[in-house]
Amino acid sequence: MLKIYILQLTYAFFNQLYQLVFPAYCFCCKQFCTINTYGLCNACSLQIAPVATIDIVITKNISVTVFAASFYQDPVKMLILAKQYQQMHACKAIGELIWAKTDTRFQEFDLIVPIPLHWTRYAKRGYNQAEEIAHVLGNKMHIPVVNLLKRTKATAFQATLSKDARSFNVADVFALAKEEYKNIYKNKRILLVDDLLTTGSTISSASKILLELKPTILKAAVGARVQ
Ligand SMILES: [Zn+2]
């Protein structure tokens, strides 16, 4: 009994010490806080309002439903724009938010496909935000994250372009990463994942390539979408 009590005391002590050395820090309001959900303080996380799904038309008969955890506004905007050492924590928080705030958790999928970064941008940044978010969801759903797609050309950063330029910017930029994927991943239920949805042209271009695999279900989830 005494042993358990000492163990509990030791745990409480180190927990307090950890909080002192690494206090929880809100991504949005930059306040140190004790209650921290999705990398946000309680007040900031309460600002996240539910967002309705939208359907992006891909072909005459096919559209892709997109789930979004939030509109592209604070506090989720701050998570998407997180820099440097905070980025990985932010990706994890975005993944948790998609899981908690959207209907993706009620859906069944066989695999998750992140929107890829061009290798030049990947080399510069060292990681792909969409892929990190996809891994959080993959762990929740117990399904694999597969890099089915590759970018065939480097494109300008979407947020810096006008609406017309964005659609042009992502036309035909994706291809299957390996030709054999067409057979291996045929007739599967696929969830596409990206951090941010702007015009929908990225999801649309990626979906057109994935349709070659004849998926039985093709839907998408994003951290935030522009209103
Ligand atoms: Zn906050």
Side-chain angles (χ1 to χ4, degrees):
M1 194 66 194
L2 184 69
K3 212 170 165 184
I4 294 170
Y5 180 68
I6 291 169
L7 269 174
Q8 281 175 340
L9 255 180
T10 315
Y11 173 78
F13 172 76
F14 281 105
N15 202 25
Q16 285 294 319
L17 193 69
Y18 183 86
Q19 293 282 335
L20 260 174
V21 182
F22 306 104
Y25 176 76
C26 176
F27 272 107
C28 188
C29 65
K30 312 291 181 201
Q31 304 285 316
F32 290 108
C33 48
T34 45
I35 304 159
N36 196 289
T37 320
Y38 321 119
L40 301 166
C41 71
N42 208 26
C44 286
S45 59
L46 283 173
Q47 287 174 34
I48 304 169
V51 173
T53 58
I54 52 163
D55 289 324
I56 295 177
V57 177
I58 310 298
T59 66
K60 210 160 64 180
N61 305 315
I62 298 169
S63 32
V64 169
T65 300
V66 184
F67 303 98
S70 161
F71 283 123
Y72 188 49
Q73 60 196 26
D74 287 342
V76 177
K77 187 176 178 178
M78 298 295 273
L79 291 173
I80 288 172
L81 297 176
K83 291 280 180 304
Q84 292 148 10
Y85 66 95
Q86 296 184 318
Q87 286 167 332
M88 286 302 182
H89 291 301
C91 290
K92 192 167 185 304
I94 296 166
E96 294 283 348
L97 272 169
I98 293 173
W99 183 253
K101 303 278 179 186
T102 72
D103 280 352
T104 45
R105 65 185 183 281
F106 304 123
Q107 317 277 315
E108 299 238 353
F109 297 101
D110 300 308
L111 64 145
I112 302 183
V113 177
I115 295 287
L117 278 181
H118 191 263
W119 69 268
T120 49
R121 189 166 297 152
Y122 186 91
K124 195 173 157 193
R125 209 197 263 178
Y127 78 105
N128 174 7
Q129 196 164 29
E131 191 177 339
E132 298 306 322
I133 297 168
H135 278 294
V136 177
L137 294 171
N139 284 338
K140 302 268 187 202
M141 297 180 187
H142 307 290
I143 54 171
V145 172
V146 185
N147 287 304
L148 276 186
L149 299 170
K150 65 175 180 188
R151 270 190 202 257
T152 51
K153 57 182 177 185
T155 52
F157 184 54
Q158 287 291 92
T160 61
L161 299 173
S162 71
K163 195 173 176 177
D164 284 348
R166 275 180 209 160
S167 300
F168 179 73
N169 189 40
V170 292
D172 305 321
V173 295
F174 298 109
L176 282 182
K178 287 179 185 168
E179 199 53 36
E180 62 253 42
Y181 284 166
K182 207 178 267 186
N183 292 321
I184 301 171
Y185 295 105
K186 202 173 171 180
N187 303 132
K188 301 285 185 196
R189 298 168 296 179
I190 299 176
L191 178 68
L192 252 179
V193 167
D194 205 0
D195 48 0
L196 174 66
L197 180 98
T198 50
T199 60
S201 48
T202 303
I203 295 286
S204 174
S205 300
S207 297
K208 276 179 191 151
I209 302 300
L210 292 178
L211 287 183
E212 292 174 22
L213 310 172
K214 305 198 183 330
T216 52
I217 290 174
L218 178 58
K219 293 185 180 181
V222 296
R225 72 172 163 92
V226 174
Q227 228 161 329

